[in-house]
């Protein structure tokens, strides 16, 4: 694993220091692909920072803060999170918190004795029921495969309405018949009754009234398609968002290691397979089958483990109190 000083350029380090100069920093660590071992030539740099807010901010309720700053020219992004906010996220077993607390020394740009004492308590996040991690895994893959399906249906609908005159009202077109014929999963016609009935077209959860002119629907579809992003467009060709699914596999690798060894290792132990998924070198059926298999394996390992039933961050809260009281 490379030392952080070989990852950040002089300009990136100077920019980072400028963002942090007015804060009481407890920890700053390299995150993302450089942490997981998935970096490639030209990979940008992600940094996670934990700071200790002033006591006055704590009293005024201004201590739960997170800032995100990015420099596109230098290819660096930093998330700056207050310690109270970080510990609150630890309670729900946020995957980023897990990563930060297990980051090896080589990637710790800044550390303090106070932070090291907090790191020593990271096992308090291990439990049989880790909602943050389990929820991430369970929904992340489905979220993006469904996202691609929605994207494809919106593109299809836009193709269908492209040749309809812009100024014609939707109610005066054959659009309802088109939707019925195409048998979409995420697009349908609906009737809403309040004071009177109103007919709508519902597209991926958003309703468009049939009194709209066709040009308004076309523009709305274009906006939604653009909002779904380039990764979805790229993934629609093979049915998956490879980056998103590689994240699910990555977290499954980490979860298995927690259940089996009570730790997380970086770079990832199975970095080669996760990288192949990220690069689209594994077909979608294999990826989804592997996610399902590993998820069930992790659940079984957790159930048979000696881990406590629920997460208990009380010791972390004691550390937080000690900073101020």
């Amino acid at each position: 694993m490379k030392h952080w000083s070989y990852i950040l350029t002089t300009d990136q380090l100077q920019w980072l220091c400028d963002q942090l100069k007015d804060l009481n920093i407890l920890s700053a660590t390299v995150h993302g692909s450089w942490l997981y071992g998935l970096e490639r030539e030209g990979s940008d740099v992600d940094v996670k920072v934990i700071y200790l807010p002033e006591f006055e901010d704590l009293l005024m309720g201004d201590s739960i803060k997170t800032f995100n700053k990015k420099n596109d020219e230098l290819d660096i992004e930093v998330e700056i999170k207050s310690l109270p906010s970080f510990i609150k996220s630890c309670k729900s077993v946020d995957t980023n918190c897990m990563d930060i607390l297990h980051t090896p020394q080589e990637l710790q740009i800044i550390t303090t004795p106070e932070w090291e004492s907090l790191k020593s308590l990271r096992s308090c996040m291990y439990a049989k029921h880790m909602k943050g991690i389990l929820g991430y895994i369970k929904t992340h893959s489905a979220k993006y495969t469904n996202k691609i399906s929605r994207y494809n249906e919106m593109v299809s609908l836009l193709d269908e309405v492209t040749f309809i005159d812009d100024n014609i009202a939707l109610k005066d077109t054959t659009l309802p018949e088109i939707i019925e014929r195409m048998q979409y999963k995420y697009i349908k016609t609906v009737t809403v009754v309040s004071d009177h009935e109103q007919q709508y077209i519902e597209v991926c959860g958003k309703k468009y009234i049939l009194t709209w002119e066709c040009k308004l629907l076309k523009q709305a579809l274009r906006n939604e398609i653009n909002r779904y992003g380039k990764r979805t467009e790229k993934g629609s060709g093979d049915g998956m968002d490879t980056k998103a699914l590689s994240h699910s596999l990555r977290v499954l690798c980490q979860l298995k290691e927690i259940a089996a060894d009570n730790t997380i290792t970086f770079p990832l132990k199975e970095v080669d397979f996760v990288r192949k998924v990220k690069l689209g070198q594994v077909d979608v059926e294999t990826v989804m089958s592997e996610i399902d298999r590993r998820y069930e394996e992790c659940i079984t390992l957790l159930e048979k483990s000696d881990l406590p039933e629920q997460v208990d961050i009380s010791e972390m809260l004691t550390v937080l109190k000690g900073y101020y009281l």
Side-chain angles (χ1 to χ4, degrees):
M1 171 174 282
K2 286 187 176 181
H3 191 271
W4 67 264
S5 59
Y6 291 97
I7 298 173
L8 273 75
T9 66
T10 302
D11 288 341
Q12 287 174 331
L13 183 60
Q14 183 59 58
W15 178 84
L16 179 63
C17 291
D18 289 343
Q19 312 312 306
L20 308 182
K21 62 184 178 182
D22 297 324
L23 297 172
N24 182 9
I25 305 300
L26 295 176
S27 168
T29 58
V30 175
H31 195 253
S33 60
W34 290 100
L35 173 64
Y36 307 137
L38 297 170
E39 77 282 357
R40 292 183 287 171
E41 184 177 353
S43 289
D44 59 3
V45 177
D46 292 318
V47 178
K48 300 290 188 185
V49 173
I50 311 299
Y51 76 97
L52 190 66
E54 298 295 333
F55 186 54
E56 289 78 4
D57 291 332
L58 195 70
L59 292 176
M60 298 298 292
D62 294 329
S63 62
I64 308 295
K65 288 185 177 180
T66 299
F67 309 92
N68 290 282
K69 300 187 178 183
K70 187 175 183 180
N71 188 317
D72 290 325
E73 184 178 345
L74 296 178
D75 286 330
I76 182 171
E77 185 171 3
V78 57
E79 180 187 78
I80 306 169
K81 199 175 188 72
S82 72
L83 183 60
S85 178
F86 177 81
I87 292 180
K88 184 177 180 180
S89 296
C90 285
K91 185 177 181 179
S92 60
V93 198
D94 179 83
T95 56
N96 286 330
C97 295
M98 277 289 195
D99 292 347
I100 295 168
L101 288 169
H102 291 83
T103 298
Q105 185 177 0
E106 293 90 336
L107 297 184
Q108 292 187 179
I109 304 168
I110 299 172
T111 189
T112 60
E114 294 83 2
W115 177 254
E116 293 301 321
S117 69
L118 199 64
K119 277 184 68 176
S120 70
L121 301 174
R122 62 194 182 192
S123 62
C124 74
M125 294 174 66
Y126 303 164
K128 292 181 179 180
H129 302 287
M130 293 180 280
K131 293 181 180 179
I133 289 183
L134 293 174
Y136 183 99
I137 296 165
K138 196 169 184 179
T139 62
H140 212 60
S141 55
K143 171 185 175 183
Y144 284 100
T145 51
N146 289 343
K147 185 177 181 181
I148 290 167
S149 297
R150 292 186 181 100
Y151 173 90
N152 287 335
E153 288 196 2
M154 286 190 292
V155 170
S156 171
L157 182 62
L158 183 58
D159 288 341
E160 292 289 337
V161 301
T162 294
F163 300 104
I164 298 177
D165 188 280
D166 282 351
N167 298 316
I168 295 179
L170 296 176
K171 64 183 177 62
D172 296 325
T173 70
T174 59
L175 195 53
E177 289 82 0
I178 291 173
I179 292 172
E180 183 177 358
R181 170 172 56 82
M182 296 299 291
Q183 295 185 330
Y184 292 122
K185 183 177 179 181
Y186 300 104
I187 301 173
K188 58 186 177 182
T189 55
V190 296
T191 300
V192 176
V193 180
S194 52
D195 295 335
H196 59 283
E197 287 189 358
Q198 289 278 22
Q199 302 292 322
Y200 293 84
I201 292 172
E202 184 174 289
V203 181
C204 303
K206 291 194 174 184
K207 294 181 179 65
Y208 305 104
I209 194 165
L210 288 183
T211 55
W212 264 22
E213 292 181 341
C214 194
K215 62 185 176 184
L216 297 176
L217 177 64
K218 292 178 185 179
Q219 187 57 53
L221 288 172
R222 292 188 190 102
N223 291 341
E224 284 299 290
I225 289 168
N226 289 334
R227 187 176 68 84
Y228 269 52
K230 294 181 179 178
R231 284 220 310 271
T232 306
E233 183 177 6
K234 180 178 181 296
S236 66
D238 55 16
M240 66 175 177
D241 179 337
T242 55
K243 184 173 182 180
L245 295 183
S246 73
H247 283 317
S248 292
L249 279 170
R250 166 182 62 79
V251 177
L252 278 166
C253 292
Q254 295 172 221
L255 184 60
K256 180 180 178 180
E257 199 172 0
I258 290 172
D261 303 323
N262 284 349
T263 191
I264 298 175
T265 303
F266 293 115
L268 301 172
K269 285 187 174 182
E270 298 185 68
V271 65
D272 291 338
F273 180 67
V274 177
R275 181 184 290 111
K276 287 179 180 179
V277 172
K278 184 178 180 181
L279 296 176
Q281 296 172 355
V282 185
D283 64 88
V284 61
E285 291 82 6
T286 300
V287 174
M288 297 309 296
S289 175
E290 193 65 16
I291 287 176
D292 289 341
R293 183 189 69 79
R294 291 177 182 234
Y295 183 83
E296 294 303 322
E297 179 188 21
C298 286
I299 294 299
T300 300
L301 285 171
L302 286 170
E303 288 175 350
K304 293 181 178 180
S305 73
D306 296 328
L307 294 174
E309 292 293 324
Q310 303 293 338
V311 173
D312 181 6
I313 63 163
S314 56
E315 289 186 82
M316 284 188 172
L317 291 174
T318 298
V319 171
L320 178 60
K321 292 174 185 176
Y323 290 142
Y324 293 105
L325 302 176

